[in-house]
Amino acid sequence: MAAVSEPVDLGAPWRAARPEPPPTRFHRVHGANIRVDPSGTRATRVESFAHGLCFSREPLAPGQVFLVEIEEKELGWCGHLRLGLTALDPATLAAVPEFSLPDLVSLGHTWVFAITRHHNRVPREDGPEAEAAVPSRPPALLVEPYLCIEQFRIPRDRLVGRSRPGLYSHLLDQLYELNVLPPTARRSRLGVLFCPRPDGTADMHIVINGEDMGPSARGLPAAQPLYAVVDVFASTKSVRLVQLEYGSFFPQCRPCRLCAA
């Protein structure tokens, strides 16, 4: 079981480093139309547009990114992948719901959003005026080696999608790095993580091709195990897990230009 299965002591100072989280895998419990490969790292919806729910095999550690890459798309459906977290243990579900939204969310203790760049960010605690006053980060900052999200520093290299090698692959790679392609484009990489706060709650963040979209939800129970939720929905047909190499797992975000922006 991952370290996050134990309550997080938010009253004590963060340690200088934590053990690297175990590799991410999909849970054996999933939607009726999902097939998970023997390695537990690829999930494919084999029919219809629904019954595509997947979960992480283990609860996530604080700051650990559950990162998926969109491998296959399917024309003819309206809608895309959905991503989030749940405090429900997948093994205890009487039946896996058909949809993440609204079915799984209606069971409670679940926070899931359709992937967009503009509609899954909660307002800043100091008000919308302060949020509007924050300057947007220039695309050049997306080449920083680390992504800083609250108190965490995450290596950026594998967070960004990659094209298949080919004549124009270098041009496509630049588009992924600048994050100007649609967020659910084929080979985009999407991640979810949570960041504990001093009051015992946590913020959920969604990352699209190496860019933090800001808190998508607040008030998550940081002391409870939180599983990643991936809904392989509609036009998204297949996803695979991407493993991050954290090295020494830094819970504290060291100063960098990205944080100061």
Side-chain angles (χ1 to χ4, degrees), residues 31-34 44-53 74 77 82 97-100 103 231-236:
N33 288 335
I34 286 292
T44 303
R45 194 186 69 251
V46 295
E47 61 179 294
S48 181
F49 63 94
H51 290 289
L53 270 175
E74 187 171 51
W77 303 115
R82 295 161 175 183
E98 183 176 6
F99 302 104
S100 58
D103 301 1
D231 192 352
V232 186
F233 175 68
S235 64
T236 304

Side-chain angles (χ1 to χ4, degrees), residues 75-231:
L75 298 177
W77 303 115
C78 181
H80 305 277
L81 180 138
R82 295 161 175 183
L83 192 62
L85 296 169
T86 183
L88 304 174
D89 184 343
T92 65
L93 294 175
V96 178
E98 183 176 6
F99 302 104
S100 58
L101 294 169
D103 301 1
L104 182 66
V105 171
S106 69
L107 298 179
H109 306 289
T110 301
W111 304 264
V112 175
F113 295 88
I115 293 298
T116 74
R117 288 199 182 93
H118 307 291
H119 303 295
N120 47 12
R121 181 180 300 165
V122 294
R124 287 168 58 100
E125 292 178 330
D126 44 1
E129 295 82 3
E131 184 169 17
V134 175
S136 60
R137 295 170 178 169
L141 288 180
L142 295 182
V143 301
E144 291 284 350
Y146 291 95
L147 174 65
C148 294
I149 302 178
E150 298 193 20
Q151 69 269 46
F152 295 100
R153 191 180 80 157
I154 303 161
R156 188 191 295 276
D157 57 344
R158 296 194 179 183
L159 294 174
V160 181
R162 298 284 189 274
S163 63
R164 293 190 182 278
L167 182 61
Y168 300 106
S169 60
H170 65 291
L171 298 176
L172 286 172
D173 286 346
Q174 290 179 8
L175 296 178
Y176 285 118
E177 289 170 2
L178 295 175
N179 203 11
V180 296
L181 292 173
T184 54
R186 188 168 177 268
R187 305 191 73 79
S188 280
R189 293 185 178 181
L190 312 165
V192 64
L193 70 153
F194 72 93
C195 304
R197 295 172 61 86
D199 63 0
T201 67
D203 292 347
M204 182 180 83
H205 286 250
I206 288 174
V207 177
I208 299 176
N209 285 318
E211 184 178 1
D212 174 29
M213 296 293 104
S216 299
R218 290 196 172 102
L220 280 67
Q224 294 185 29
L226 293 171
Y227 294 82
V229 178
V230 179
D231 192 352

Side-chain angles (χ1 to χ4, degrees), residues 3-72:
V4 74
S5 60
E6 300 178 359
V8 178
D9 184 4
L10 295 171
W14 288 104
R15 292 177 292 173
R18 293 172 65 92
E20 183 162 338
T24 54
R25 295 290 185 270
F26 286 114
H27 204 285
R28 60 179 177 79
V29 174
H30 50 70
N33 288 335
I34 286 292
R35 300 295 180 267
V36 175
D37 76 344
S39 71
T41 62
R42 182 174 181 177
T44 303
R45 194 186 69 251
V46 295
E47 61 179 294
S48 181
F49 63 94
H51 290 289
L53 270 175
C54 303
F55 306 92
S56 60
R57 181 181 296 178
E58 303 286 349
L60 300 186
Q64 181 184 13
V65 183
F66 194 81
L67 184 67
V68 298
E69 179 178 283
I70 296 177
E71 286 240 302
E72 294 183 44

